[in-house]
C-alpha cells in the first residue's frame, strides 16, 4: 500500500495521526543440524526439522457444499455486481469483512479465530495465498498442514463465512518477498517479477495451473464460499504493465470461468488507479486509503475506473492498526478513531474489509521487510503480526478496539451478532534452564559446504532462509599491522570473526564486529600472530526479504566482493546452516542422526554457565526442557527471551521465530498450545551473540512489546 517514509507515531491520544499504508524454497535442505545434550541422563535433540502440523481433522467438521442450483427467494445461488451494489442470491449485500491469513494461524486454531471474526460481526474473510509457502521448492507443491488452503476454505463455508481470495501471484502482506518463492532468485537470467516477461509468466502459469483448479470448486456459484478473487495486489504502486495484468485475467478466467468476480486493489489516488486497474467491467477495481481520509471522494474516483453501475464503494483494506519493524515503537491506534472511520463507510452503505481483523504470527523465517529512501534503508518486520488488530495475536477479544468496532458493525449488520467468546486462557509455565550444547563453529563439519572463487548468494546454493557461513583465509601483514575488511553489499546482517590455529592445533574464532545492511561500515581486523594463514569467517543472516517497493528482487547473503585492504579475497567455502523453516518436514530421524553424528558431548554433570565477563560474541545452540503434566490441559503461553541477544527459538521442533530484545520492541514470542504436548517439551535456542548470563528463559502468560531503546519515532532501525 502507499508507504510513506514519514510514518506518523500512532499512539493513544486525543489527536490521531493519519495512517498511511505501504503494506502491502527452493532446493531441498540436504541435512539437519542435530545438536543434542544429555540433561538429567536423557538425550534431547537440539535442532531438527519441523513436522507439518495437522489441519486438526477439519474434514470431519465439514458439510457438503451447497449445490449451485439451490434457490433463495427465487434466485439461483449467485454473487454479482449491479446498480453500484453487491448482490448475493438476488438481495443487496454489504461486505463487512476482515483479513485473516490461514498461514499465520495454526490449523488447530482456524475455527477459533473464524468464530471470533463472526462475533466481531464479519460476514466475509479475505486471505492471501502465498506462493512461497505452497511451492517452497521449484515443482514441489505443499497444500498440507498450515498450507491446507482447501480445508481452510471449506471450514469457512461450514461456518457460514464468505471468502475474498487474494491469489497473487504477488501479495505483499509483510510476508517474505511478497509471497514470491526465493528459488525464483536463483534463476539465471533472472525473471522480471510482476511483469509480462515471458520467463516470469511461464512460472506464474505453472503455479496458477496448480492453485486455481483447487479453488474453482469452492467458488460461490459452485456452492463454495469464494465470492471474489483478487488479481495481483496494488500493482499501481509498482508498475503500469497492462499486458501483465491482462494475462493474469486470462489465466484466471481459464481456470475459474467467467462468472466469478475478479478484482484489483489499489491506493485511492488517480495515479495508482490509472496504473493498477483494468477499465471496463471485466475486473472490479477496489480501493484502499488512509483510515483518516474522507472515503467518499475516493469512492467517487473509484467509479471512474469501473463500468457504469459496477462500482459499489469498497475499501478492501480498512486499516485497524499497523505493522511494526524491529527497533520501532510498537504501533497502536485509537479504538474510537478506528471505529468512527469505519462508521463513516458503513452508514452510507459502503463496504469495508478490516486489515487486519486478526494478524497472527510470522512463524519461522517468513517475515517480510520494507525499505525507506533506498535499498539499504532496510526495515525487517517483527515475528509478531499482531497489527493492533481487534482480534489480537493470541486470539484475545477482550479489548477496546474489538468492542468499539463490534458496536459499529452491530448497527449495520443484517443479522444478529453471535455472543463474544471468552479469551483463551494463557499459562505461565515458569523458568527453563538451558544448556549450551555446542557453538556454531564446532559444528560446521556436519554442514554441507560449497566452494567457489567468489562469494555466492544464498539462493544460488539452495539456502533459501536463515543463515550462511562464508569462510576464507588471508595472510597476516609482515609488520603485524591491522587490516581493514569491507563488504559493500551484504543482505542483511553479517557477524565477522577471525581465527588461526594455536600451537595445540585448536582454533577459536574471535568476534571482530557486525556489518549491517542499513549501516554498513568497514571493520578493522586486529593484529594477529598466527602459525599459518588467518581464517576469516562471516556469518550472514537473511532477516526477511523485501515485500514491497521497487527492490523486491532481494537476494540474500554476500552479494559483492569482499575486500581486505582494498584487495579482493577469493577461494571461499560456504557452509549451509540448516535451520528449518515453518512448513518443512524431517527426512530422517533427528535423534538417530544426533547419536550417529557424535555431536552429543555434554551432560547435565558438565553443565556450564556463561560467564558475564566473556566479551566474545559466539553463535551457539542452547537447549532445555519443561514438563506439562499428562492430566493438565495445555494452554497458550509466551516465551520471554529477556537478557538474551538475538536469534531463533524452536519448541518441539517448531520454529517459533526470531527474537531480538536488545532492538525491541518485541520481548516475548507467542507459543500456541498446539505446539506443546503433555510430557516433555524441548526448547532450543540459536543465540547469535550473548546469551542470558543465567542461561534461563521464562514462559509467561502475557505479550510484551516494551523491549529495546526507547525512540520518539516508529520507523527507523
Amino acid at each position: 500500500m502507499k508507504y510513506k517514509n514519514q510514518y506518523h507515531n500512532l499512539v493513544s491520544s486525543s489527536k490521531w495521526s493519519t495512517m498511511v499504508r505501504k503494506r502491502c524454497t527452493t532446493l531441498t535442505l540436504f541435512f539437519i543440524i542435530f545438536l543434542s545434550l544429555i540433561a538429567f541422563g536423557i538425550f534431547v535433540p537440539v535442532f531438527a526439522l519441523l513436522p507439518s502440523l495437522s489441519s486438526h481433522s477439519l474434514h470431519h467438521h465439514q458439510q457438503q457444499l451447497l449445490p449451485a442450483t439451490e434457490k433463495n427467494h427465487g434466485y439461483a445461488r449467485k454473487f454479482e455486481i449491479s446498480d453500484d451494489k453487491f448482490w448475493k442470491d438476488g438481495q443487496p449485500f454489504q461486505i463487512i469483512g476482515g483479513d485473516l491469513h490461514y498461514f499465520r494461524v495454526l490449523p488447530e486454531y482456524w475455527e477459533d479465530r473464524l468464530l471470533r471474526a463472526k462475533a466481531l460481526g464479519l460476514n466475509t474473510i479475505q486471505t492471501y495465498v502465498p506462493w512461497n509457502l505452497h511451492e517452497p521448492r521449484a515443482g514441489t507443491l505443499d497444500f498440507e498442514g498450515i498450507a491446507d488452503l482447501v480445508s481452510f476454505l471449506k471450514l469457512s463455508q461450514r461456518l457460514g463465512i464468505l471468502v475474498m481470495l487474494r491469489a497473487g501471484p504477488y501479495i505483499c502482506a509483510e510476508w517474505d518477498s511478497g509471497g514470491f518463492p526465493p528459488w525464483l532468485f536463483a534463476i539465471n537470467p533472472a525473471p522480471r517479477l510482476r511483469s509480462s516477461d515471458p520467463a516470469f509468466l511461464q512460472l506464474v502459469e505453472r503455479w496458477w495451473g496448480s492453485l486455481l483448479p483447487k479453488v474453482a470448486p469452492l467458488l460461490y456459484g459452485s456452492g463454495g464460499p469464494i465470492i471474489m478473487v483478487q488479481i495481483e495486489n496494488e500493482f499501481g504502486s509498482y508498475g503500469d504493465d497492462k499486458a501483465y495484468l491482462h494475462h493474469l485475467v486470462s489465466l484466471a478466467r481459464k481456470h475459474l470461468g467467467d462468472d466469478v468476480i475478479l478484482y484489483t486493489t489499489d491506493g485511492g489516488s488517480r495515479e495508482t488507479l490509472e496504473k493498477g486497474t483494468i477499465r471496463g467491467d471485466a475486473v472490479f477495481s477496489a480501493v484502499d486509503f488512509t483510515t483518516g481520509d474522507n472515503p467518499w471522494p475516493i469512492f467517487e474516483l473509484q467509479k471512474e475506473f469501473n463500468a457504469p453501475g459496477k462500482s459499489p464503494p469498497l475499501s478492501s483494506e480498512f486499516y485497524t492498526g499497523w505493522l511494526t519493524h524491529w527497533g520501532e515503537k510498537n504501533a497502536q491506534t485509537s479504538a474510537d478513531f478506528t471505529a468512527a472511520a469505519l462508521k463513516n463507510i458503513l452508514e452510507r452503505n459502503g463496504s469495508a474489509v478490516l486489515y487486519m481483523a486478526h494478524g497472527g504470527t510470522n512463524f519461522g523465517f517468513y517475515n517480510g521487510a520494507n525499505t525507506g529512501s533506498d535499498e539499504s534503508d532496510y526495515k525487517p518486520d517483527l515475528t509478531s503480526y499482531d497489527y493492533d488488530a481487534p482480534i489480537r495475536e493470541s486470539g484475545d477479544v477482550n479489548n477496546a478496539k474489538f468492542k468499539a468496532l463490534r458496536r459499529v458493525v452491530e448497527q449495520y449488520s443484517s443479522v444478529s451478532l453471535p455472543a463474544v467468546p471468552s479469551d483463551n486462557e494463557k499459562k505461565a509455565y515458569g523458568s527453563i534452564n538451558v544448556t549450551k550444547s555446542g557453538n556454531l563453529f564446532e559444528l560446521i563439519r556436519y554442514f554441507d559446504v560449497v566452494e567457489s572463487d567468489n562469494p555466492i548468494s544464498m539462493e544460488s546454493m539452495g539456502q533459501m532462509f536463515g543463515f550462511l557461513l562464508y569462510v576464507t583465509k588471508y595472510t597476516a601483514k609482515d609488520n603485524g599491522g591491522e587490516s581493514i575488511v569491507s563488504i559493500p553489499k551484504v543482505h542483511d546482517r553479517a557477524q565477522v570473526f577471525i581465527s588461526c590455529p594455536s600451537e595445540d592445533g585448536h582454533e577459536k574464532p574471535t568476534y571482530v564486529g557486525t556489518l549491517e545492511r542499513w549501516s554498513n561500515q568497514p571493520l578493522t581486523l586486529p593484529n594477529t600472530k598466527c602459525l599459518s594463514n588467518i581464517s576469516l569467517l562471516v556469518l550472514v543472516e537473511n532477516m526477511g526479504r523485501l515485500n514491497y517497493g521497487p527492490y523486491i528482487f532481494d537476494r540474500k547473503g554476500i552479494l559483492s566482493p569482499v575486500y581486505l585492504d582494498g584487495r579482493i579475497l577469493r577461494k571461499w567455502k560456504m557452509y549451509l546452516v540448516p535451520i528449518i523453516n515453518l512448513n518443512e518436514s524431517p527426512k530422517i530421524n533427528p535423534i538417530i542422526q544426533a547419536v550417529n553424528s557424535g555431536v552429543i558431548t555434554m551432560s547435565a554433570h558438565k553443565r556450564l554457565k556463561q560467564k558475564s565477563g566473556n566479551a566474545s560474541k559466539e553463535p551457539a545452540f542452547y537447549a532445555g526442557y519443561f514438563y506439562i503434566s499428562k492430566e493438565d490441559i495445555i494452554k497458550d503461553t509466551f516465551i520471554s527471551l529477556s537478557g538474551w541477544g538475538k536469534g531463533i527459538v524452536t519448541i518441539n521442533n517448531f520454529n517459533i521465530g526470531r527474537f531480538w530484545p536488545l532492538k525491541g520492541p518485541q520481548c516475548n514470542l507467542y507459543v500456541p498450545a498446539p505446539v506443546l504436548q503433555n510430557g516433555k517439551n524441548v526448547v532450543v535456542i540459536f543465540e547469535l551473540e550473548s546469551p542470558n548470563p543465567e542461561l534461563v528463559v521464562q514462559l509467561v502468560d502475557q505479550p510484551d512489546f516494551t523491549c529495546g531503546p526507547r525512540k520518539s519515532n516508529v520507523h527507523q532501525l
Side-chain angles (χ1 to χ4, degrees):
M1 286 79 246
K2 297 83 50 197
Y3 182 83
K4 288 186 176 178
N5 294 332
Q6 300 83 24
Y7 171 62
H8 299 292
N9 188 5
L10 300 174
V11 294
S12 297
S13 69
S14 58
K15 220 169 175 181
W16 289 102
S17 300
T18 299
M19 289 186 298
V20 181
R21 189 68 180 131
K22 179 268 343 140
R23 282 189 352 72
C24 6
T25 325
T26 83
L27 303 175
T28 305
L29 294 176
F30 299 110
F31 45 87
I32 305 169
I33 304 176
F34 297 110
L35 309 173
S36 297
L37 71 125
I38 303 172
F40 305 102
I42 300 175
F43 290 130
V44 294
V46 177
F47 241 95
L49 294 178
L50 162 68
S52 297
L53 291 169
S54 74
S55 56
H56 197 45
S57 302
L58 294 178
H59 64 277
H60 80 269
H61 292 301
Q62 294 151 4
Q63 64 180 24
Q64 292 282 5
L65 297 180
L66 296 173
T69 57
E70 177 182 317
K71 302 292 183 179
N72 183 4
H73 302 290
Y75 289 87
R77 180 179 172 87
K78 190 172 185 181
F79 194 88
E80 56 191 329
I81 296 174
S82 66
D83 297 329
D84 287 335
K85 295 184 180 70
F86 295 110
W87 296 79
K88 176 176 171 285
D89 302 337
Q91 300 295 315
F93 185 78
Q94 185 178 32
I95 295 175
I96 306 177
D99 265 75
L100 190 161
H101 302 155
Y102 62 96
F103 47 90
R104 284 181 159 125
V105 180
L106 296 192
E108 293 89 340
Y109 274 162
W110 285 346
E111 183 167 351
D112 176 87
R113 302 305 193 258
L114 288 170
L115 288 174
R116 292 171 190 275
K118 285 195 72 172
L120 184 58
L122 306 187
N123 55 34
T124 305
I125 287 297
Q126 184 172 243
T127 185
Y128 288 116
V129 180
W131 184 359
N132 53 6
L133 181 79
H134 293 287
E135 193 176 4
R137 293 163 297 282
T140 301
L141 297 175
D142 185 357
F143 286 93
E144 297 181 355
I146 202 167
D148 192 349
L149 170 62
V150 171
S151 287
F152 178 80
L153 296 173
K154 288 182 177 179
L155 176 60
S156 300
Q157 166 77 11
R158 181 180 71 80
L159 298 176
I161 301 173
L162 302 175
V163 174
M164 296 168 62
L165 192 68
R166 313 179 85 173
Y170 165 79
I171 64 171
C172 186
E174 283 77 67
W175 191 253
D176 187 83
S177 198
F180 287 129
W183 49 262
L184 290 175
F185 304 157
I187 298 174
N188 193 12
R192 287 185 291 113
L193 305 181
R194 305 182 75 184
S195 80
S196 53
D197 174 9
F200 176 64
L201 291 181
Q202 184 178 15
L203 294 166
V204 173
E205 289 171 3
R206 189 181 72 184
W207 159 232
W208 271 15
S210 299
L211 170 67
L212 298 185
K214 288 182 180 294
V215 303
L218 297 164
L219 298 177
Y220 188 78
S222 300
I226 302 172
I227 55 173
M228 300 168 65
V229 177
Q230 181 176 287
I231 301 297
E232 242 270 354
N233 186 56
E234 292 187 324
F235 187 69
S237 299
Y238 179 83
D240 57 0
D241 188 341
K242 295 292 187 180
Y244 166 54
L245 294 180
H246 280 284
H247 192 83
L248 294 180
V249 173
S250 297
L251 277 177
R253 292 293 178 208
K254 172 185 175 182
H255 294 289
L256 303 178
D258 295 330
D259 293 335
V260 65
I261 297 171
L262 303 180
Y263 70 109
T264 56
T265 294
D266 284 286
S269 70
R270 184 171 297 278
E271 179 185 3
T272 55
L273 287 167
E274 288 280 4
K275 294 193 297 183
T277 63
I278 297 177
R279 289 180 181 264
D281 61 0
V283 180
F284 169 61
S285 301
V287 291
D288 58 41
F289 44 82
T290 298
T291 302
D293 281 350
N294 181 356
W296 292 99
I298 299 173
F299 289 145
E300 285 299 313
L301 176 64
Q302 177 192 11
K303 287 184 177 181
E304 295 184 30
F305 297 88
N306 285 306
K310 299 286 189 179
S311 193
L314 171 64
S315 172
S316 57
E317 289 192 7
F318 174 89
Y319 304 116
T320 62
W322 203 254
L323 61 107
T324 305
H325 305 120
W326 289 108
E328 296 178 350
K329 183 177 180 180
N330 194 42
Q332 293 181 312
T333 58
S334 160
D336 292 339
F337 172 84
T338 307
L342 180 62
K343 180 180 175 67
N344 192 17
I345 295 174
L346 299 185
E347 67 184 355
R348 293 174 59 180
N349 293 318
S351 292
V353 180
L354 309 183
Y355 194 99
M356 298 290 296
H358 171 57
T361 309
N362 295 317
F363 295 116
F365 295 119
Y366 276 120
N367 68 277
N370 297 303
T371 55
S373 57
D374 55 41
E375 186 179 6
S376 64
D377 189 10
Y378 172 79
K379 311 170 195 300
D381 298 324
L382 302 182
T383 296
S384 172
Y385 198 61
D386 178 84
Y387 212 85
D388 197 29
I391 306 171
R392 308 313 301 267
E393 180 180 15
S394 60
D396 286 358
V397 294
N398 185 18
N399 61 75
K401 187 168 287 183
F402 185 95
K403 294 173 183 177
L405 291 173
R406 189 178 191 272
R407 284 194 296 268
V408 170
V409 172
E410 196 166 23
Q411 298 176 49
Y412 304 101
S413 176
S414 61
V415 297
S416 297
L417 303 192
V420 178
S422 300
D423 289 348
N424 293 325
E425 186 179 348
K426 320 297 186 304
K427 184 164 184 177
Y429 287 100
S431 299
I432 305 171
N433 294 316
V434 298
T435 299
K436 181 179 178 181
S437 57
N439 71 54
L440 180 73
F441 305 119
E442 293 170 345
L443 300 169
I444 62 174
R445 58 187 174 162
Y446 300 102
F447 303 166
D448 277 3
V449 60
V450 175
E451 298 188 43
S452 173
D453 199 43
N454 296 301
I456 299 175
S457 73
M458 285 187 172
E459 295 84 359
S460 296
M461 288 185 290
Q463 183 76 356
M464 301 304 174
F465 297 94
F467 304 86
L468 194 63
L469 179 64
Y470 295 80
V471 180
T472 191
K473 293 182 181 293
Y474 68 93
T475 303
K477 291 183 176 179
D478 293 336
N479 60 10
E482 296 176 336
S483 294
I484 303 295
V485 64
S486 64
I487 310 177
K489 193 168 185 179
V490 60
H491 288 187
D492 300 300
R493 190 172 186 269
Q495 294 167 261
V496 180
F497 303 81
I498 60 171
S499 72
C500 63
S502 59
E503 292 183 0
D504 60 5
H506 293 292
E507 294 186 52
K508 182 172 177 57
T510 301
Y511 173 72
V512 174
T514 298
L515 299 171
E516 295 168 320
R517 177 171 175 172
W518 53 92
S519 59
N520 192 340
Q521 298 293 329
L523 294 176
T524 299
L525 303 182
N527 174 17
T528 302
K529 294 182 179 180
C530 198
L531 299 177
S532 60
N533 288 340
I534 302 171
S535 292
L536 177 70
L537 305 95
V538 184
L539 179 63
V540 179
E541 179 184 4
N542 166 0
M543 292 184 61
R545 292 179 182 84
L546 297 173
N547 55 257
Y548 181 86
Y551 309 112
I552 57 172
F553 198 95
D554 187 22
R555 284 190 175 118
K556 297 300 184 180
I558 294 178
L559 307 177
S560 68
V562 178
Y563 296 92
L564 183 71
D565 297 327
R567 174 176 59 86
I568 294 177
L569 291 175
R570 303 190 185 277
K571 296 184 178 179
W572 289 86
K573 291 182 178 180
M574 287 148 287
Y575 295 89
L576 286 69
V577 184
I579 300 173
I580 51 85
N581 203 6
L582 174 61
N583 60 327
E584 292 177 326
S585 301
K587 301 300 186 294
I588 55 177
N589 186 305
I591 297 177
I592 298 301
Q593 174 67 15
V595 172
N596 292 341
S597 70
V599 174
I600 302 172
T601 58
M602 300 187 68
S603 72
H605 302 292
K606 297 179 180 179
R607 190 169 181 272
L608 301 176
K609 290 278 188 178
Q610 179 83 8
K611 295 182 179 179
S612 58
N614 183 2
S616 178
K617 295 184 177 181
E618 179 183 71
F621 294 90
Y622 301 82
Y625 55 84
F626 66 100
Y627 285 92
I628 300 176
S629 169
K630 293 184 178 180
E631 292 74 31
D632 287 348
I633 298 174
I634 300 173
K635 305 290 199 318
D636 287 357
T637 189
F638 297 84
I639 185 166
S640 170
L641 281 303
S642 177
W644 292 78
K646 186 182 193 304
I648 304 294
V649 61
T650 70
I651 298 180
N652 296 334
N653 302 331
F654 183 92
N655 191 332
I656 298 295
R658 308 175 197 266
F659 64 88
W660 199 5
L662 292 176
K663 183 67 68 172
Q666 184 173 4
C667 317
N668 305 342
L669 302 186
Y670 173 52
V671 182
V675 170
L676 305 178
Q677 60 194 17
N678 293 108
K680 180 190 281 190
N681 293 267
V682 179
V683 177
V684 176
I685 300 168
F686 180 39
E687 168 61 60
L688 293 171
E689 298 182 349
S690 302
N692 180 304
E694 298 303 314
L695 293 185
V696 65
V697 295
Q698 301 283 339
L699 291 175
V700 299
D701 58 4
Q702 294 290 332
D704 186 355
F705 292 91
T706 62
C707 287
R710 299 276 58 83
K711 297 187 177 183
S712 59
N713 58 58
V714 299
H715 75 279
Q716 294 294 333
L717 269 174

